[in-house]
């Protein structure tokens, strides 16, 4: 669900096409870092702090509910991680930085996100 939301937003932000890049690396044995970048329309600074709030959307009526980014943030936080969105403004695309623990406990089931 996390990636579906993020990739769908990136696609919507690049109606004429563009590039979506995904980088995944381990920072240390305990931490995974994901960097997702698009070359879409970007986010103006005045609304950047609001885009992860529930029901906030810049999409036309009927095109979005404004829940995708808030749900994505919740998913990351439920797995013990953080999610930050940045943009240099209109015309400069978006970067999403996600940090997750390499070993997470979710719903009382221990899960490893990387091989040991």
């Amino acid at each position: 669900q996390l990636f579906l939301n993020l990739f769908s937003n990136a696609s919507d932000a690049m109606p004429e096409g563009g590039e979506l890049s995904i980088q995944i690396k381990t920072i240390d044995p305990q931490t995974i870092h994901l960097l997702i970048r698009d070359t879409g329309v970007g986010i103006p600074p005045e609304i950047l702090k609001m885009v992860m709030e529930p029901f906030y959307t810049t999409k036309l009526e009927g095109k979005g509910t404004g829940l995708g980014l808030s749900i994505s943030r919740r998913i990351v936080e439920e797995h013990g991680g953080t999610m930050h969105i940045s943009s240099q403004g209109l015309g400069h695309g978006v970067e999403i930085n996600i940090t997750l623990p390499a070993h997470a406990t979710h719903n009382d089931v221990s899960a490893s996100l990387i091989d040991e």
Side-chain angles (χ1 to χ4, degrees):
Q1 187 65 54
L2 168 67
F3 295 112
L4 178 64
N5 289 345
L6 298 179
F7 298 164
S8 177
N9 278 356
S11 177
D12 290 346
M14 300 184 291
E16 303 298 319
E19 186 174 315
L20 175 64
S21 65
I22 305 154
Q23 242 182 3
I24 303 171
K25 64 181 178 179
T26 55
I27 297 174
D28 56 50
Q30 305 302 317
T31 310
I32 296 172
H33 180 249
L34 294 90
L35 175 61
I36 301 167
R37 286 188 184 123
D38 71 50
T39 58
V41 296
I43 302 171
E46 61 271 14
I47 67 168
L48 189 59
K49 63 181 175 265
M50 297 182 287
V51 296
M52 286 198 284
E53 296 300 318
F55 303 107
Y56 184 84
T57 185
T58 59
K59 295 178 182 176
L60 298 174
E61 189 172 329
K63 291 286 186 178
T65 61
L67 290 173
L69 291 175
S70 64
I71 289 171
S72 295
R73 178 178 59 184
R74 190 191 79 224
I75 291 168
V76 169
E77 289 173 351
E78 285 179 356
H79 285 85
T82 60
M83 180 171 132
H84 300 283
I85 298 177
S86 61
S87 176
Q88 297 301 312
L90 289 176
H92 294 283
V94 170
E95 283 190 5
I96 300 174
N97 284 281
I98 299 172
T99 303
L100 291 167
H103 300 277
T105 302
H106 184 66
N107 294 333
D108 296 326
V109 177
S110 182
S112 176
L113 297 177
I114 60 172
D115 291 330
E116 294 189 76

